[in-house]
Amino acid sequence: MIRLTGTALRVGARTPLTLVLAVTGAVVVTLVGALAIPAGSGQRLYNDAAQLAAGALAAFVCLTAAREHRGLRSRWRTLLGFGLTGWTLARLWWVARDVLDPGRATGVGPADFGFLILPVCVFLALLAMSAALPRPVRASLPRDRVVLVIDSVLITGSLVALAWSALPHRVFREVGESPWAAGVAAAYPVADLVLIVMALLVLASRPTWRPARATLMLAVAGLVALGCSDTVRLLTLSTGTLTPLQATGYLLGPALLAVAALTNPGTAAPPAVDKLEADWLHLILPYVPVVATGIVIAVRTGAGGQLTSYEAYLGWLGLGLVVARQMFTIVDNTVLLARVSEGQERLHHQAYHDPLTGLANRALFRERLALALDSYRYQGLPVALIFADLDDFKLINDSFGHAIGDRLLRAIADRLRTCVGPADLVARLGGDEFAVLLEHRAGEADPIAEAMLAALRAPFELDGHTVAISASLGLVRPHLGERDLSADILLRRADAAMYASKRRGKNALVRYAGSADGGPNADLPHLLMRALAGSPADYGFEVHYQPIVHLADETVLAVEALARWNDPIAGPVDPEVFVTVAERAGLVAAIDDFVLDRACSDAAALAATYGRPIDVHVNVSAARLGQHGLAQGVLAALHRHDVPASRLVVEITETKRIPDLSRAVEVTETLRRHGVRVALDDFGSGYNALAQLHSLPIDIVKLDSSLTDVDVAPERAGALCRSVLTICADMGVAVIAEGIETRERAVDLAGLGCKLGQGYLFGQPRAVHRLVEVVPAQPGPDRGGAATSGRAPSPSGGGPAPSDAAAVPAGGGSAGSSSRSPAGTSARWRPPQGP
């Protein structure tokens, strides 16, 4: 069903019906002319008038349909409309001749050149359609169009040569005595053949998109219809006028082209090609008719025949087109090889370089280090390695955000490049770790390392922020005579020297000097792995306890269990250092388990020390909170040492993000159902913030020392503390203030409403046998028995009392100190002093 509305013509989903109507109309007109109109000038006038009407209607339909589209989809319809308009005007000339001179002779006149407007416009329309449906193999649009034209002409020339060689020559002699008239008449079917081949190539080489295929197939059918009538006209040029049946193509051709223009009125643009389709057909197809023509000509000439001048011309034309086609193929291959090479280089760069900084990554660094050690081993070429770890880089991310952190890493990479030569390799091994490999300037390793330290000490200006950073460096060279040194060993030594720098106060360079992995250059990852693989206590691991007190009278209500390590080889290791090593080596869980077991084992000794059962706080890394088996391990440790679950508080440390929050909620609920309380450690720093407080079912919040410096910044810190205390009070969550080192801070926090505190003011972490009660327990109505231990007996003999002490959670991290000061005293390990 066709609807005409003002300036728009739409077909919608009725294209099959339109096609049927068009074909039926052409057949009816043909039958009427053949059966009802007598042969002669009247029948010729009828044919020309019918063809004039068909062309005019088709041109109108195409131009109207073009207004419903945009871009290339409108352009090819417009070109088709212009071509049909020119074809119609030429037909109008012949109708006028039929009316004015009914007895005119048949033949070719000057107006026949108007019929060539249609092939030219269809040619341009097909180029526009090919641009709207590009090939899946990426190529430039101009090159694609030129190749399409060359292939079309090449195939057409081969088919014409094949027809010239196969058909009897008398057929061509009978075309007419006038070569000029025969040439003009032959131009029509040849042009039709070029266009048919061109449309078929577009169909074969473009993505299979159903709407486009339907449009192209209708266009091909219309061109075939025109080509058939043009061919019959050429062959009957000397015999007279075409019959209505022979001229049916002049009715069907324009009708089918108009139906093609009416297809897809509201269809969206063709979808993107997700995968490359096989392009072999597009490459082979142009040569098939060339080979066939060559075989036919070879057989004919081999049988004694001779080539005519036309066959020779067609042969030279085909040869030239084949050469041109091969040139384009060679260019294509060259471009393809260049793209493959670029892709390989890009993939190689991505595989061996850090995407953030552009520096070499760990894989490339290890390969270069292995090659450098081979040169050292077999040629004696010196090599040196500098390992750098940024100090407190996590604080940068926490304070300014990860975007600034990433920009800082890029700026650091740029500064490190300026400190080395073009032959030296700077790599980012991961996170905040960098390394420099010196092969040709190994003797200058010390000044280069000092230049790196100086370069990093200068502040960075990022988005209006002044960011200061430093690094701990470890420098290592192979010892004389070491020929079996591996890359792993050299990296471990550089890593050990770097950790020695951190133990000495950071922002310094340490040179690996020991031949064995001991002393200040101990291989901490290796030593830590060895200690935790067996019995940690045999390798210097201990658990120290720090008091948690009631700020009003400094009564000890609980203690926090903290890991300490005094390795037989490395000596005392700062908790921050070995916790960092453990996190990188995946050993934090082993430290947590050791502290938990030792804290449960010391429960009786703690009760004896304080004269009553005392609550114990044990840290668990947030990364473990969503893992299976954590709750079972905690309950098993309590059962193994016969410790009531109500005496244990599990603190969630903030060094890692909780990977699975829903699973973490399940584990937390399981622990609380068995009586174990849960605390959120270091609240206000890192990942432990309001989101965690809202999501996790917890009993206690431990305010980070960065929020408790009310004596230093009373307005800002006081406002923050007051807000957190109000929120926690409304949620029924107890609050412990960390990092209390001065009496003024304790008084100010108590004045804000904070009732519990922890810090060096009340006692440093000590072994269980060196703990003393800061304020002796005084019996009274509100402090006696279980009340002083943080629990008051309920009427039924169990359960927490509704007092502040009843909500006290377990202390800070199992390895770090939760009594941090604003200056970061938690990073410094202090040996026990006094009894």
Side-chain angles (χ1 to χ4, degrees), residues 54 62 82 104 324 457 471 486 488 506 551 561 657 670 714 820 826:
C62 291
F82 287 160
R104 66 176 178 82
R457 287 191 187 108
S486 67
D488 287 334
K506 306 178 183 178
L551 293 179
R657 187 185 298 275
T670 301
R820 290 181 288 205
S826 63

Side-chain angles (χ1 to χ4, degrees), residues 523-542 563-571 573 578 581-582 585 587 589-591 593-595 598:
D523 182 356
L524 290 185
H526 174 72
L527 295 177
L528 185 62
M529 190 177 303
R530 182 189 65 175
L532 297 176
S535 175
D538 295 338
Y539 292 93
F541 266 98
E542 296 179 323
R564 295 293 182 260
W565 186 26
N566 188 358
D567 187 79
I569 296 177
V573 183
F578 73 74
V581 176
L587 300 173
I591 297 178
D593 292 342
F594 167 74
V595 174
R598 181 55 59 90

Side-chain angles (χ1 to χ4, degrees), residues 464-482:
H465 301 287
T466 301
V467 181
I469 195 70
S470 63
S472 299
L473 272 59
L475 170 61
V476 62
R477 298 185 184 89
H479 297 293
L480 293 177
E482 283 189 302

